[in-house]
Amino acid sequence: MTDSTVLVPLALAVDLGGTKVEAALVTDAGVVLPATRFRSPTGPGRTSEELQAAVDEVVTSALAALPADGLLVGVGVGSAGPVDEQHGLVSPLNMPVWRGYPLRDRVAAHVSADVPVTLRMDGLAITLAEHWVGAAQGHDHVMGMIVSTGVGGGLILHGRTVSGPTGNAGHVGHVECGGFDDPCACGGTGCLEAVASGPKTVAWAQRQGFTGTTGEELAAAYAAGDEVAVAAVKRSGRALGQAIAAATSLVDLEVVAIGGGFSHVSPDLFEYARQAVAERVEFGFVTKVRIVPTGLSQDGPLIGAAALVHRADVLR
């Protein structure tokens, strides 16, 4: 490499979720470098030490893959919430051994002191990605959502992120939905996550006689017209729409972009959500909201974490 070589600015993106942690290097065009992507399982059964080992493994592997013409300009960490943005702490609901865990500092220990490390809730990171290179491009009043093991979300209003005093604004998974009495791990009743996440939807279907155990099996049963599977997806879609209508009533959204593994259970999930929003017949500012599938590939969470670095100008 000569002195005239132009270095490619890269962000180390780290995404911590309820089933896995991933890390990769991402360009300032939102492209994940495939050879730098690594993942390791997480989940509620892991000890604190095992979770940290998983994070260390993927971070060190990704950093070791930094190309010769790459320049690490920052680290973005998107984590399942709740988070403490100011202090860099995480308390993922589905990882009970981590409460107030100093994830930002643990990740920062892998890079030099002059490399900034930014931690935000994963829902906010994915919203940044949708606004940057996804389905919400060109809109400045956006909610991004992840419907997967849990349900997360984030907000961009007037073109800037909104994270609130602790970093948890947009945590739509814990908006309570009318007509549902499902208990939630957060202590609430009828929270969107307790109704519409993949595992909770499957669990409800099982109580109605469904014999499958995964979201993929539920999707196949839905496609085959299984009555219980259809009822389960309708139920989750309605809860999703109710939460989106409530959020739009509050902050006047233009677009809600939804990704995550369970969002692919059927395209009808989106239609059921739209039907629930459409019931707000007297509120055109609510019924105007567009509910769309993510415009991102499966790289979305990593692109979102990288956006915390490459789109830092949008952060508030």
Side-chain angles (χ1 to χ4, degrees), residues 51-305:
L51 290 173
Q52 184 58 54
V55 172
D56 291 341
E57 176 188 342
V58 299
V59 167
T60 55
S61 297
L63 288 172
L66 183 72
D69 64 346
L71 175 66
L72 184 67
V73 295
V75 181
V77 182
S79 173
V83 302
D84 178 337
E85 181 180 301
Q86 180 180 355
H87 300 101
L89 310 178
V90 303
S91 303
L93 194 59
N94 294 317
M95 298 176 215
V97 296
W98 274 8
R99 291 292 177 264
Y101 191 78
L103 181 61
R104 183 185 63 197
D105 290 349
R106 293 301 181 95
V107 172
H110 290 278
V111 297
S112 62
D114 61 338
V115 175
V117 180
T118 303
L119 181 143
R120 295 290 189 274
M121 194 165 61
D122 56 358
L124 185 67
I126 200 72
T127 304
L128 266 174
E130 296 288 0
H131 185 256
W132 181 22
V133 293
Q137 293 179 74
H139 297 278
D140 284 338
H141 297 82
V142 175
M143 183 163 69
M145 293 183 67
I146 302 165
V147 182
S148 187
T149 305
V151 178
L155 294 168
I156 288 178
L157 301 177
H158 299 285
R160 303 289 297 276
T161 62
V162 176
S163 58
T166 64
N168 293 289
H171 208 340
V172 69
H174 296 278
V175 168
E176 294 188 1
C177 305
F180 299 96
D181 59 3
D182 308 56
C184 184
C186 77
T189 300
C191 292
L192 177 61
E193 180 170 293
V195 179
S197 69
K200 296 300 184 181
T201 303
V202 170
W204 182 88
Q206 289 173 328
R207 294 195 294 271
Q208 317 309 311
F210 177 62
T211 58
T213 60
T214 67
E216 290 81 4
E217 290 172 325
L218 188 72
Y222 182 91
D226 179 86
E227 289 185 4
V228 171
V230 169
V233 174
K234 281 185 176 179
R235 183 176 189 269
S236 293
R238 177 166 185 79
L240 194 59
Q242 286 181 332
I244 290 170
T248 305
S249 294
L250 187 65
V251 295
D252 201 2
L253 298 167
E254 297 173 285
V255 177
V256 176
I258 305 175
F262 193 68
S263 71
H264 303 295
V265 66
S266 169
D268 293 346
L269 181 74
F270 289 79
E271 191 53 38
Y272 298 137
R274 294 179 187 118
Q275 290 170 9
V277 171
E279 294 175 6
R280 305 292 183 99
V281 291
E282 295 297 328
F283 278 1
F285 78 94
V286 173
T287 58
K288 77 174 185 325
V289 69
R290 294 173 51 238
I291 303 174
V292 299
T294 176
L296 306 168
S297 65
Q298 293 183 343
D299 296 339
L302 289 171
I303 295 171

